[in-house]
């Protein structure tokens, strides 16, 4: 076998495997050969200065062709026509193609949830229940209004349902450390777990509680027994049971109850239930004073209080309110500027 055939076969193999290293070697060879051939052709104006040569090579290879520099000798024109322009066009096209492929791959990996999410203090939603999950995310987006990132973490093979609006991670298991690190489970400020299988929800809740005990953990269960089991292991977890049956019964006895509850939970229109913490800097007061303040200044209605011993609905007006208590109220929009007693 001739040496020329071996060289051709090696070059063909390298071109087919044109990775970053081989592309750089090819580019350096192209630049070196271009300078050498132009030098041998007597193109002094193009080769006497590195700046002039590099400028001419880039302008020519990219087909911009300003025309301020051009070959003057017959041999130089042949070199440019047969090597500099064809070689430059090929390398330019390959470079642009590789760059585009890299960006498309990066975008596609994010769409498929394969990238690590670099966020913190975010809301992490674990589980996918089609329209229910989409509705949950839309409500969170309305409530947060760009304050906290929302990260959806799922197990099914799917794409980001809201690209550009939320971050998305796909995992094999909600208890796999490597997978869950991609979703930033240890940096989340709120973790919402909602799956079709309650056992998956329970396992994910226990895992997340161990990884991030300071996060506000919420888990949705259809089986109230598993909800009690989680509370026994994670007292700080907030378990949301299924209330579909209770809602049916209540609406049967008191017509319109389901519409009332839907209105209070909806964040898109009408009066909605909100919560606010009575600040540590405020002076102790009574429900009567806060009730009047809420109504007169914000057209809001104070409906409940949590002093650390559970929620007390419709508290008596003379009930003492100490700093740190959670206050629940109904209003058209969330109030962010209460004039607390000092």
């Amino acid at each position: 076998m001739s040496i020329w055939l071996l060289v051709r076969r090696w070059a063909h193999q390298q071109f087919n495997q044109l990775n970053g290293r081989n592309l750089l070697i090819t580019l350096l060879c192209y630049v070196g050969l271009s300078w050498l051939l132009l030098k041998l052709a007597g193109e002094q104006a193009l080769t006497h200065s590195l700046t002039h040569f590099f400028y001419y090579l880039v302008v020519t290879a990219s087909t911009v062709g300003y025309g301020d520099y051009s070959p003057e000798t017959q041999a130089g024109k042949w070199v440019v026509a047969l090597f500099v322009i064809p070689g430059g066009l090929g390398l330019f096209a390959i470079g642009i193609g590789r760059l585009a492929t890299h960006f498309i791959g990066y975008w596609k990996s994010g769409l498929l949830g394969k990238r690590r999410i670099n966020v913190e203090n975010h809301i992490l939603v674990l589980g996918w229940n089609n329209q229910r999950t989409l509705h949950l995310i839309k409500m969170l987006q309305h409530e947060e209004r760009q304050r906290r990132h929302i990260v959806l973490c799922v197990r099914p093979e799917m794409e980001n349902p809201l690209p550009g609006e939320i971050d998305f991670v796909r995992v094999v298991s909600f208890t796999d450390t490597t997978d869950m690190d991609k979703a930033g489970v240890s940096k989340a400020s709120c973790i919402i777990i909602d799956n079709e299988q309650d056992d998956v929800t329970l396992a994910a809740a226990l895992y997340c509680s161990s990884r991030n005990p300071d996060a506000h953990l919420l888990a949705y269960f259809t089986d109230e027994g598993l909800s009690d089991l989680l509370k026994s292991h994670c007292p700080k977890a907030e378990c949301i049971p299924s209330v579909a049956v209770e809602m049916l019964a209540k609406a049967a006895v008191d017509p319109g109850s389901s519409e009332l509850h839907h209105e209070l939970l909806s964040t898109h229109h009408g009066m909605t239930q909100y919560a606010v913490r009575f600040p540590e800097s405020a002076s102790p007061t009574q429900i009567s004073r806060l009730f009047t303040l809420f109504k007169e200044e914000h057209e809001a209605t104070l409906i409940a209080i949590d002093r650390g011993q559970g929620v007390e609905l419709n508290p008596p007006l003379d009930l003492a309110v100490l700093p740190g208590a959670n206050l629940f109220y109904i209003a058209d929009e969330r109030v962010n500027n209460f004039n607390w007693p000092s």
Side-chain angles (χ1 to χ4, degrees), residues 252-279:
V253 177
D254 298 308
S257 295
S258 61
E259 295 182 16
L260 171 63
H261 285 85
H262 179 75
E263 184 78 9
L264 290 177
L265 293 176
S266 176
T267 59
H268 298 290
H269 61 85
M271 291 292 172
T272 303
Q273 179 261 308
Y274 298 100
V276 64
R277 183 177 292 275
F278 194 50

mmCIF file of all heavy atoms in Angstrom, residues 252-279:
data_model
loop_
_atom_site.group_PDB
_atom_site.id
_atom_site.type_symbol
_atom_site.label_atom_id
_atom_site.label_comp_id
_atom_site.label_asym_id
_atom_site.label_seq_id
_atom_site.Cartn_x
_atom_site.Cartn_y
_atom_site.Cartn_z
ATOM 1 N N ALA A 252 -73.757 19.134 49.387
ATOM 2 C CA ALA A 252 -75.091 18.536 49.408
ATOM 3 C C ALA A 252 -75.937 19.130 50.521
ATOM 4 O O ALA A 252 -77.139 19.350 50.364
ATOM 5 C CB ALA A 252 -74.986 17.022 49.577
ATOM 6 N N VAL A 253 -75.328 19.395 51.660
ATOM 7 C CA VAL A 253 -76.049 19.939 52.809
ATOM 8 C C VAL A 253 -76.211 21.456 52.694
ATOM 9 O O VAL A 253 -77.281 22.008 52.973
ATOM 10 C CB VAL A 253 -75.325 19.579 54.123
ATOM 11 C CG1 VAL A 253 -76.027 20.212 55.316
ATOM 12 C CG2 VAL A 253 -75.238 18.069 54.280
ATOM 13 N N ASP A 254 -75.118 22.136 52.277
ATOM 14 C CA ASP A 254 -75.138 23.593 52.127
ATOM 15 C C ASP A 254 -74.793 23.940 50.689
ATOM 16 O O ASP A 254 -73.605 24.104 50.343
ATOM 17 C CB ASP A 254 -74.122 24.238 53.080
ATOM 18 C CG ASP A 254 -74.440 23.964 54.541
ATOM 19 O OD1 ASP A 254 -75.596 24.222 54.938
ATOM 20 O OD2 ASP A 254 -73.547 23.486 55.258
ATOM 21 N N PRO A 255 -75.778 24.045 49.817
ATOM 22 C CA PRO A 255 -75.520 24.327 48.407
ATOM 23 C C PRO A 255 -74.682 25.586 48.212
ATOM 24 O O PRO A 255 -74.889 26.602 48.884
ATOM 25 C CB PRO A 255 -76.930 24.500 47.820
ATOM 26 C CG PRO A 255 -77.808 23.710 48.726
ATOM 27 C CD PRO A 255 -77.209 23.865 50.099
ATOM 28 N N GLY A 256 -73.721 25.491 47.294
ATOM 29 C CA GLY A 256 -72.836 26.621 47.026
ATOM 30 C C GLY A 256 -71.527 26.558 47.777
ATOM 31 O O GLY A 256 -70.633 27.377 47.538
ATOM 32 N N SER A 257 -71.384 25.584 48.690
ATOM 33 C CA SER A 257 -70.149 25.488 49.482
ATOM 34 C C SER A 257 -68.933 25.208 48.599
ATOM 35 O O SER A 257 -67.846 25.737 48.845
ATOM 36 C CB SER A 257 -70.290 24.381 50.531
ATOM 37 O OG SER A 257 -71.285 24.706 51.474
ATOM 38 N N SER A 258 -69.120 24.378 47.576
ATOM 39 C CA SER A 258 -67.982 24.059 46.709
ATOM 40 C C SER A 258 -67.501 25.292 45.966
ATOM 41 O O SER A 258 -66.291 25.503 45.803
ATOM 42 C CB SER A 258 -68.370 22.961 45.713
ATOM 43 O OG SER A 258 -69.434 23.385 44.872
ATOM 44 N N GLU A 259 -68.442 26.150 45.518
ATOM 45 C CA GLU A 259 -68.054 27.380 44.834
ATOM 46 C C GLU A 259 -67.328 28.324 45.784
ATOM 47 O O GLU A 259 -66.375 29.012 45.405
ATOM 48 C CB GLU A 259 -69.287 28.064 44.255
ATOM 49 C CG GLU A 259 -69.970 27.266 43.152
ATOM 50 C CD GLU A 259 -71.153 28.003 42.573
ATOM 51 O OE1 GLU A 259 -71.263 29.231 42.802
ATOM 52 O OE2 GLU A 259 -71.974 27.366 41.892
ATOM 53 N N LEU A 260 -67.794 28.366 47.029
ATOM 54 C CA LEU A 260 -67.148 29.220 48.028
ATOM 55 C C LEU A 260 -65.706 28.787 48.257
ATOM 56 O O LEU A 260 -64.782 29.619 48.253
ATOM 57 C CB LEU A 260 -67.929 29.165 49.337
ATOM 58 C CG LEU A 260 -67.257 29.836 50.550
ATOM 59 C CD1 LEU A 260 -67.082 31.323 50.308
ATOM 60 C CD2 LEU A 260 -68.043 29.571 51.818
ATOM 61 N N HIS A 261 -65.498 27.476 48.453
ATOM 62 C CA HIS A 261 -64.147 26.975 48.693
ATOM 63 C C HIS A 261 -63.254 27.190 47.470
ATOM 64 O O HIS A 261 -62.074 27.517 47.597
ATOM 65 C CB HIS A 261 -64.187 25.495 49.073
ATOM 66 C CG HIS A 261 -64.667 25.246 50.462
ATOM 67 N ND1 HIS A 261 -65.994 25.155 50.781
ATOM 68 C CD2 HIS A 261 -63.989 25.102 51.639
ATOM 69 C CE1 HIS A 261 -66.127 24.945 52.093
ATOM 70 N NE2 HIS A 261 -64.926 24.899 52.635
ATOM 71 N N HIS A 262 -63.808 26.999 46.287
ATOM 72 C CA HIS A 262 -63.027 27.226 45.068
ATOM 73 C C HIS A 262 -62.609 28.685 44.957
ATOM 74 O O HIS A 262 -61.477 28.998 44.571
ATOM 75 C CB HIS A 262 -63.847 26.811 43.845
ATOM 76 C CG HIS A 262 -63.124 27.034 42.550
ATOM 77 N ND1 HIS A 262 -62.095 26.227 42.115
ATOM 78 C CD2 HIS A 262 -63.269 27.986 41.594
ATOM 79 C CE1 HIS A 262 -61.637 26.659 40.959
ATOM 80 N NE2 HIS A 262 -62.338 27.730 40.608
ATOM 81 N N GLU A 263 -63.520 29.595 45.301
ATOM 82 C CA GLU A 263 -63.219 31.023 45.246
ATOM 83 C C GLU A 263 -62.111 31.393 46.226
ATOM 84 O O GLU A 263 -61.213 32.180 45.916
ATOM 85 C CB GLU A 263 -64.486 31.825 45.562
ATOM 86 C CG GLU A 263 -64.329 33.330 45.444
ATOM 87 C CD GLU A 263 -64.358 33.824 44.016
ATOM 88 O OE1 GLU A 263 -64.674 33.030 43.102
ATOM 89 O OE2 GLU A 263 -64.055 35.004 43.806
ATOM 90 N N LEU A 264 -62.165 30.809 47.424
ATOM 91 C CA LEU A 264 -61.151 31.134 48.433
ATOM 92 C C LEU A 264 -59.774 30.597 48.063
ATOM 93 O O LEU A 264 -58.756 31.151 48.498
ATOM 94 C CB LEU A 264 -61.579 30.559 49.792
ATOM 95 C CG LEU A 264 -62.783 31.228 50.462
ATOM 96 C CD1 LEU A 264 -63.141 30.504 51.748
ATOM 97 C CD2 LEU A 264 -62.490 32.700 50.745
ATOM 98 N N LEU A 265 -59.732 29.533 47.291
ATOM 99 C CA LEU A 265 -58.453 28.929 46.934
ATOM 100 C C LEU A 265 -57.882 29.478 45.631
ATOM 101 O O LEU A 265 -56.682 29.382 45.394
ATOM 102 C CB LEU A 265 -58.611 27.407 46.814
ATOM 103 C CG LEU A 265 -58.924 26.662 48.103
ATOM 104 C CD1 LEU A 265 -59.158 25.187 47.822
ATOM 105 C CD2 LEU A 265 -57.801 26.831 49.119
ATOM 106 N N SER A 266 -58.728 30.033 44.784
ATOM 107 C CA SER A 266 -58.267 30.540 43.497
ATOM 108 C C SER A 266 -57.501 31.839 43.677
ATOM 109 O O SER A 266 -57.941 32.745 44.389
ATOM 110 C CB SER A 266 -59.456 30.763 42.556
ATOM 111 O OG SER A 266 -59.017 31.349 41.344
ATOM 112 N N THR A 267 -56.357 31.944 43.005
ATOM 113 C CA THR A 267 -55.544 33.160 43.105
ATOM 114 C C THR A 267 -55.699 34.063 41.892
ATOM 115 O O THR A 267 -55.074 35.109 41.812
ATOM 116 C CB THR A 267 -54.058 32.784 43.237
ATOM 117 O OG1 THR A 267 -53.670 32.012 42.090
ATOM 118 C CG2 THR A 267 -53.807 31.995 44.496
ATOM 119 N N HIS A 268 -56.519 33.654 40.922
ATOM 120 C CA HIS A 268 -56.611 34.400 39.668
ATOM 121 C C HIS A 268 -57.716 35.452 39.675
ATOM 122 O O HIS A 268 -57.656 36.425 38.931
ATOM 123 C CB HIS A 268 -56.845 33.428 38.499
ATOM 124 C CG HIS A 268 -55.718 32.460 38.316
ATOM 125 N ND1 HIS A 268 -54.483 32.846 37.857
ATOM 126 C CD2 HIS A 268 -55.642 31.118 38.537
ATOM 127 C CE1 HIS A 268 -53.689 31.784 37.786
ATOM 128 N NE2 HIS A 268 -54.361 30.729 38.199
ATOM 129 N N HIS A 269 -58.753 35.253 40.479
ATOM 130 C CA HIS A 269 -59.840 36.230 40.500
ATOM 131 C C HIS A 269 -60.589 36.118 41.823
ATOM 132 O O HIS A 269 -60.570 35.087 42.494
ATOM 133 C CB HIS A 269 -60.801 35.997 39.322
ATOM 134 C CG HIS A 269 -61.449 34.638 39.361
ATOM 135 N ND1 HIS A 269 -62.589 34.370 40.075
ATOM 136 C CD2 HIS A 269 -61.099 33.473 38.758
ATOM 137 C CE1 HIS A 269 -62.924 33.105 39.913
ATOM 138 N NE2 HIS A 269 -62.038 32.521 39.123
ATOM 139 N N GLY A 270 -61.247 37.217 42.190
ATOM 140 C CA GLY A 270 -62.084 37.209 43.387
ATOM 141 C C GLY A 270 -61.288 37.208 44.683
ATOM 142 O O GLY A 270 -60.064 37.322 44.706
ATOM 143 N N MET A 271 -62.011 37.083 45.770
ATOM 144 C CA MET A 271 -61.405 37.060 47.093
ATOM 145 C C MET A 271 -60.683 35.735 47.340
ATOM 146 O O MET A 271 -61.212 34.674 47.027
ATOM 147 C CB MET A 271 -62.478 37.278 48.165
ATOM 148 C CG MET A 271 -63.053 38.686 48.172
ATOM 149 S SD MET A 271 -61.803 39.890 48.728
ATOM 150 C CE MET A 271 -62.665 41.429 48.395
ATOM 151 N N THR A 272 -59.510 35.844 47.926
ATOM 152 C CA THR A 272 -58.654 34.675 48.136
ATOM 153 C C THR A 272 -58.114 34.690 49.553
ATOM 154 O O THR A 272 -57.946 35.758 50.153
ATOM 155 C CB THR A 272 -57.489 34.667 47.135
ATOM 156 O OG1 THR A 272 -58.017 34.699 45.814
ATOM 157 C CG2 THR A 272 -56.637 33.428 47.284
ATOM 158 N N GLN A 273 -57.834 33.515 50.085
ATOM 159 C CA GLN A 273 -57.268 33.408 51.432
ATOM 160 C C GLN A 273 -55.759 33.565 51.384
ATOM 161 O O GLN A 273 -55.073 32.949 50.563
ATOM 162 C CB GLN A 273 -57.648 32.053 52.043
ATOM 163 C CG GLN A 273 -57.077 31.832 53.443
ATOM 164 C CD GLN A 273 -55.819 30.991 53.427
ATOM 165 O OE1 GLN A 273 -55.803 29.911 52.852
ATOM 166 N NE2 GLN A 273 -54.761 31.477 54.053
ATOM 167 N N TYR A 274 -55.228 34.397 52.270
ATOM 168 C CA TYR A 274 -53.786 34.631 52.373
ATOM 169 C C TYR A 274 -53.361 34.498 53.836
ATOM 170 O O TYR A 274 -54.198 34.411 54.738
ATOM 171 C CB TYR A 274 -53.408 36.031 51.871
ATOM 172 C CG TYR A 274 -53.730 36.272 50.418
ATOM 173 C CD1 TYR A 274 -54.878 36.978 50.052
ATOM 174 C CD2 TYR A 274 -52.891 35.813 49.412
ATOM 175 C CE1 TYR A 274 -55.176 37.206 48.713
ATOM 176 C CE2 TYR A 274 -53.178 36.048 48.072
ATOM 177 C CZ TYR A 274 -54.325 36.737 47.735
ATOM 178 O OH TYR A 274 -54.612 36.955 46.412
ATOM 179 N N ALA A 275 -52.054 34.507 54.057
ATOM 180 C CA ALA A 275 -51.510 34.435 55.415
ATOM 181 C C ALA A 275 -50.361 35.422 55.554
ATOM 182 O O ALA A 275 -49.652 35.709 54.588
ATOM 183 C CB ALA A 275 -51.031 33.017 55.728
ATOM 184 N N VAL A 276 -50.178 35.945 56.775
ATOM 185 C CA VAL A 276 -49.089 36.868 57.063
ATOM 186 C C VAL A 276 -48.644 36.638 58.500
ATOM 187 O O VAL A 276 -49.447 36.278 59.366
ATOM 188 C CB VAL A 276 -49.543 38.341 56.849
ATOM 189 C CG1 VAL A 276 -50.649 38.715 57.825
ATOM 190 C CG2 VAL A 276 -48.373 39.296 56.968
ATOM 191 N N ARG A 277 -47.353 36.820 58.732
ATOM 192 C CA ARG A 277 -46.813 36.639 60.079
ATOM 193 C C ARG A 277 -46.822 37.978 60.819
ATOM 194 O O ARG A 277 -46.362 38.997 60.285
ATOM 195 C CB ARG A 277 -45.403 36.070 60.019
ATOM 196 C CG ARG A 277 -44.789 35.789 61.415
ATOM 197 C CD ARG A 277 -43.413 35.154 61.272
ATOM 198 N NE ARG A 277 -43.528 33.827 60.713
ATOM 199 C CZ ARG A 277 -43.770 32.734 61.416
ATOM 200 N NH1 ARG A 277 -43.942 32.815 62.726
ATOM 201 N NH2 ARG A 277 -43.840 31.555 60.826
ATOM 202 N N PHE A 278 -47.354 37.956 62.037
ATOM 203 C CA PHE A 278 -47.322 39.152 62.881
ATOM 204 C C PHE A 278 -45.867 39.396 63.268
ATOM 205 O O PHE A 278 -45.249 38.554 63.930
ATOM 206 C CB PHE A 278 -48.197 38.922 64.117
ATOM 207 C CG PHE A 278 -48.508 40.166 64.899
ATOM 208 C CD1 PHE A 278 -48.996 41.298 64.278
ATOM 209 C CD2 PHE A 278 -48.309 40.203 66.277
ATOM 210 C CE1 PHE A 278 -49.294 42.433 64.995
ATOM 211 C CE2 PHE A 278 -48.587 41.346 67.012
ATOM 212 C CZ PHE A 278 -49.085 42.469 66.362
ATOM 213 N N PRO A 279 -45.272 40.515 62.859
ATOM 214 C CA PRO A 279 -43.811 40.707 63.002
ATOM 215 C C PRO A 279 -43.340 40.741 64.455
ATOM 216 O O PRO A 279 -44.085 41.137 65.361
ATOM 217 C CB PRO A 279 -43.567 42.042 62.297
ATOM 218 C CG PRO A 279 -44.882 42.729 62.278
ATOM 219 C CD PRO A 279 -45.931 41.663 62.219
#
